[in-house]
Amino acid sequence: MVIYGKVGKNSDGTSRSARCIHGGAAFIWPIFQACYFLDLTPISISVDLTNALSRQNIRIDVPSRFTVGVSTEAGIMQNAAERLLGLQLQDISDLAKDIIFGQLRLVIATMDIEEINTDRDKFLEAVSRNVEGELKKIGLRLINVNITDISDESGYIVALGREAAAKAINDAKRTVAEKNRDGSVGEANAQRDQRVQVASANATAIEGENNSIALVSQSNAKRREIEADSLRIAISAEKIAEANSKKEAYLAEKLAEEVRATREKATLEADVLVQIEVEKRRLELEAEAYAEKIRIQAKGEADAILLKREAEAKGFSEILSKQAEGFSKIVQSVNGNVNDAVKIMISDKLPELVKLQVEAIKNIKIDKVTVWDNMNGKDGSSTTSNFVSSMLKAVPPLNEVFKMSGMELPEYLGKVESTKQEAKDQSKKETK
């Protein structure tokens, strides 16, 4: 009986999950406690293990039957109450069967076929020790283990049986032959004594003895032939079993090598792909960073150029505004006469214009001038004076500068005498 609910505490102060009663009675507190019964009926489990791999890499079949039941030991009963409470016998049987399968395979993998086949007590002891240790964890105990038979697909166990039978037969035959030999030697000695004593009577005995020896030789030859055949069969079976075992081992190693090669190839490909992805991501980040840097620099340069152009435009606008304001005041000072205003502005720039005219010939460097003057210039003037005069005429006079601007010099600065051609042109204009 398993009592659960408020059932007290353990020795270490932790709360108990359940309290188990095996034999006797207990009072159940309503509301605070409840109870459930675990069936102690033994459970027989058939475990037909097939293709279990032994330590020699030979697969064997081990049909067996295990008998288990819920344990009544104090600590193990607590495990049963915690893990088996509420399960039916079939559910408990399936759970135990899974555990037995695993432990039985584990034990077989640590033993040779010779140990499993010849030393059954050792095999059963190892199985009981491993299985019972695992069953106790869920609250069960192992009652009995029965291994019905052991077989393998490769015929190795059958070959071992044949080898043992052949060896027993050969031993028996060897013992019989030895006894026959001792009897024949004793008989020959007695007959030899008899022939010495009675030579004549032994003639017939010698013939029979020879016949007997011939029969014995034939019998010994047949015996040796049978022994040779038995030995050959046993050796052949052993070699075949060994060859099959090596074949399965080689196939298993080949499969393992193929799996390992596939895994190493996948690992190598994964490493290369990861490195390529990392390098690609690094290049992308570097390109993005470089592009962002260029964009920031371009934006900064554009902002600087914009600010510079805005400042220049603002300064130029201020200059034009001041010039317009000054020009407006000049126009107002001449009572709105624009021509007079322009003349005043040009007059203000007159010193600069004169300075430019002077600078035009000032910087002419004449290292040396040689003149042969025959005094046959126009109006009896010298050629040298005409040369210098021509150079001076190359500079536009002030009056011409004013004319190119659409103005004339004011009379207070002096009146320029017109040439004959200009006078003619002037008279034609007046006539028209």
Side-chain angles (χ1 to χ4, degrees), residues 10 13 19 33 41 45 54 67 76 79 83 89 104 108 114 162 164 167 170 174 182 219 230 244 285 310 317 329 372:
N10 295 317
R19 183 162 62 93
Q33 295 178 345
T41 302
I45 303 172
S54 67
T67 303
I76 304 176
N79 294 338
R83 294 175 173 84
L89 289 179
L104 192 57
I108 292 172
E114 289 82 357
R162 290 178 178 176
K167 183 178 179 181
N170 291 334
R174 184 173 58 253
D182 295 339
S219 177
S230 299
N244 291 331
L285 293 176
E310 289 179 352
S317 176
K329 290 181 180 181
W372 287 271

Side-chain angles (χ1 to χ4, degrees), residues 68-87:
V68 299
V70 176
S71 179
T72 56
E73 297 181 18
I76 304 176
M77 272 198 303
Q78 190 70 23
N79 294 338
E82 293 177 355
R83 294 175 173 84
L84 303 179
L85 194 64
L87 297 179

Side-chain angles (χ1 to χ4, degrees), residues 154-372:
S154 61
Y156 184 69
I157 296 177
V158 175
L160 291 177
R162 290 178 178 176
E163 180 183 2
K167 183 178 179 181
I169 293 172
N170 291 334
D171 292 340
K173 289 181 178 181
R174 184 173 58 253
T175 302
V176 171
E178 290 175 352
K179 296 298 182 182
N180 290 332
R181 181 197 60 192
D182 295 339
S184 299
V185 170
E187 182 181 0
N189 291 331
Q191 290 176 358
R192 182 193 59 191
D193 295 337
Q194 185 179 2
R195 285 196 303 272
V196 171
Q197 295 177 5
V198 184
S200 59
N202 285 338
T204 305
I206 292 172
E207 183 179 359
E209 182 181 355
N210 292 334
N211 292 333
S212 176
I213 292 173
L215 293 175
V216 170
S217 298
Q218 293 177 359
S219 177
N220 290 334
K222 291 181 179 180
R223 177 180 58 80
R224 287 195 295 270
E225 182 179 356
I226 293 173
E227 290 178 353
D229 289 338
S230 299
L231 183 60
R232 178 179 56 80
I233 293 173
I235 293 174
S236 298
E238 182 180 357
K239 295 296 182 181
I240 291 172
E242 184 179 358
N244 291 331
S245 176
K246 289 183 178 180
K247 179 181 178 182
E248 292 183 358
Y250 294 154
L251 291 175
E253 291 178 359
K254 178 182 177 183
L255 181 60
E257 289 296 328
E258 291 176 353
V259 173
R260 183 182 62 80
T262 304
R263 179 178 61 81
E264 291 180 354
K265 180 180 178 183
T267 303
L268 182 59
E269 291 178 353
D271 293 339
V272 172
L273 290 176
V274 169
Q275 291 178 359
I276 292 174
E277 289 293 333
V278 171
E279 183 66 18
K280 176 183 177 183
R281 183 58 181 164
R282 183 183 67 79
L283 294 176
E284 290 177 353
L285 293 176
E286 289 180 355
E288 292 177 359
Y290 183 70
E292 185 66 20
K293 179 181 178 182
I294 293 176
R295 286 195 293 270
I296 294 172
Q297 291 178 352
K299 184 178 180 183
E301 293 175 357
D303 293 341
I305 293 172
L306 179 61
L307 293 175
K308 181 180 179 181
R309 296 303 182 193
E310 289 179 352
E312 291 177 352
K314 186 175 181 182
F316 188 66
S317 176
E318 290 292 332
I319 293 172
L320 293 177
S321 298
K322 296 299 181 181
Q323 288 179 351
E325 184 179 353
F327 187 72
S328 177
K329 290 181 180 181
I330 293 173
V331 173
Q332 290 177 3
S333 65
V334 294
N335 297 323
N337 192 335
V338 178
N339 291 327
D340 292 342
V342 173
K343 290 177 180 180
I344 291 172
M345 293 177 64
I346 294 176
S347 299
D348 183 62
K349 299 294 182 179
L350 188 59
E352 295 182 7
L353 294 173
V354 174
K355 183 179 179 182
L356 291 173
Q357 283 185 312
V358 174
E359 292 292 333
I361 62 173
K362 175 183 176 181
N363 294 325
I364 296 177
K365 294 181 180 181
I366 301 175
D367 186 20
K368 184 178 181 182
V369 178
T370 304
V371 180
W372 287 271

Side-chain angles (χ1 to χ4, degrees), residues 43 45 65-69 100 128 141-146:
I43 304 171
I45 303 172
R65 181 169 292 275
F66 289 76
T67 303
V68 299
I100 292 170
S128 300
R141 65 183 295 265
L142 182 63
I143 299 175
N144 184 36
V145 180
N146 184 19

Side-chain angles (χ1 to χ4, degrees), residues 32-197:
F32 297 102
Q33 295 178 345
C35 65
Y36 193 88
F37 290 92
L38 280 174
D39 195 348
L40 299 179
T41 302
I43 304 171
S44 180
I45 303 172
S46 177
V47 180
D48 295 330
L49 181 62
T50 59
N51 291 328
L53 193 64
S54 67
R55 189 166 63 183
Q56 297 166 305
N57 293 326
I58 298 176
R59 297 188 178 276
I60 62 175
D61 300 336
V62 184
S64 57
R65 181 169 292 275
F66 289 76
T67 303
V68 299
V70 176
S71 179
T72 56
E73 297 181 18
I76 304 176
M77 272 198 303
Q78 190 70 23
N79 294 338
E82 293 177 355
R83 294 175 173 84
L84 303 179
L85 194 64
L87 297 179
Q88 300 296 326
L89 289 179
Q90 184 60 40
D91 298 332
I92 297 174
S93 175
D94 294 339
L95 181 61
K97 187 174 183 179
D98 293 337
I99 296 174
I100 292 170
F101 262 117
Q103 295 302 315
L104 192 57
R105 287 183 181 274
L106 180 63
V107 172
I108 292 172
T110 60
M111 298 181 68
D112 295 333
I113 292 181
E114 289 82 357
E115 294 178 324
I116 297 173
N117 189 41
T118 57
D119 196 350
R120 292 293 181 92
D121 292 337
K122 180 181 179 181
F123 176 60
L124 291 176
E125 182 182 357
V127 171
S128 300
R129 183 173 60 254
N130 285 27
V131 171
E132 188 169 13
E134 295 298 320
L135 291 177
K136 285 182 178 180
K137 295 179 181 179
I138 62 172
L140 298 176
R141 65 183 295 265
L142 182 63
I143 299 175
N144 184 36
V145 180
N146 184 19
I147 305 297
T148 57
D149 194 9
I150 298 175
S151 61
D152 66 309
E153 296 179 356
S154 61
Y156 184 69
I157 296 177
V158 175
L160 291 177
R162 290 178 178 176
E163 180 183 2
K167 183 178 179 181
I169 293 172
N170 291 334
D171 292 340
K173 289 181 178 181
R174 184 173 58 253
T175 302
V176 171
E178 290 175 352
K179 296 298 182 182
N180 290 332
R181 181 197 60 192
D182 295 339
S184 299
V185 170
E187 182 181 0
N189 291 331
Q191 290 176 358
R192 182 193 59 191
D193 295 337
Q194 185 179 2
R195 285 196 303 272
V196 171
Q197 295 177 5

